[in-house]
Amino acid sequence: MKKLLIIFLMFFMTNVQANTLDACLQKISSDNTLWQQRLFDKKDGVFNTLGEKEILTDELVQKNKAKIYTLLAGNIMLKCNKDLLEIAKIPRGLIEFVHDKNKYAFDFSTETAFSYIDMRTGILVINKRNLVPGEVLELSSIQKDKKFFSDECSDWTIWDNLDDDAAVNVAGQAVFNEFGGSSNEYFLDFAEGDNRRAFPGLVLMDKTFSTKEQIVSYRNINTGIEKARQFATKLKGGVCSNQNLAVYLVALDVKRDTSSGKNGWVVAAGIGGGAFAWIGLSAAAVATPLAATAWLPTVVGNAMLSTAAVSSGVPVAGWVVAGVLVAGATAISLYPFEIEKIQQVMILDGPYHL
């Protein structure tokens, strides 16, 4: 089993995506202040009780797993924000650190690491097929007062009961089980000047037997990716096709960053249950640093534990493969937000052409 895991890890380090993750982890591990010191600082480091010559045990790593994942997630957001979606698709990573002049590495699950990043995402269907991750789509760039999808694709007449047979509703009922599945109904938001609720093309939920409408929103990036893909698959080849439409996963909380005289974009994200901070996600944006202490949650829940195998030449401390629950952290993968006006969204994944 150990040999298989070693081969598995070596395989991923040879492909393009893993090179992206490897480069990200190299940035993090080479930062003495935000990685090495945050692990072993005597005042508020993860292993602040560990003596200089004391052996770092698997038991101690397991005990502090949530703090390590939180620290790792915060560093990924700050140092690798342009590659988040590419990194999220890679199952595992190895990140090095030094203790008592010996080199170690944590073998970690990227899916678990990303569960500590709380970013509100939505699913967008729009008549723009060439948008790329990191690009910001502004409300002002979308034509006003005009339907960009057919009535058969998504119902135009929301006030008079949604059309059960509209493609978006059928796909939404099949995919968005967390939002009630077939118990509720789904439609695409309209253009500005044409009864817009939140943002043109966002998938919205209409609660049955109620006037309440909500944005279909996932706060876990991995869950958002999977749901956007499933939704696009359900729509592909149906009545929404041949309308120049594409499906995207988008960040919903985006604003301009004019700090230091620069004009970029930042997105709101919480790390490890800490307060939300605005973090640069596009190439033009300037990241706003999070307070290091905000990365460390104070209450840790119980979790099933598993010990990782040893990689040749690099001792691997015991690590968690199963999901981790942290009080107040982002183990919750979704949260239905009520309707609000949104001026811009940031492309995270896609396009998935219909």
Side-chain angles (χ1 to χ4, degrees), residues 150-175 181-188 206-209 231 234-235 239-240:
S150 68
D151 186 41
E152 293 76 21
C153 177
S154 181
D155 200 352
W156 290 359
T157 314
I158 305 305
W159 61 270
D160 188 27
N161 192 22
L162 276 164
D163 181 1
D164 292 340
D165 296 328
V168 165
N169 183 54
V170 173
Q173 290 184 335
V175 173
S182 58
S183 297
N184 295 315
E185 297 177 309
Y186 306 86
F187 65 100
L188 302 183
D206 181 53
K207 191 172 181 62
T208 303
F209 303 121
F231 184 64
K234 290 289 184 181
L235 291 178
V239 296
C240 293

Side-chain angles (χ1 to χ4, degrees), residues 75-88:
N75 271 289
I76 289 174
M77 279 297 298
L78 289 178
K79 295 182 179 297
C80 317
N81 43 53
K82 290 184 291 182
D83 300 313
L84 281 183
L85 268 291
E86 192 171 337
I87 291 171

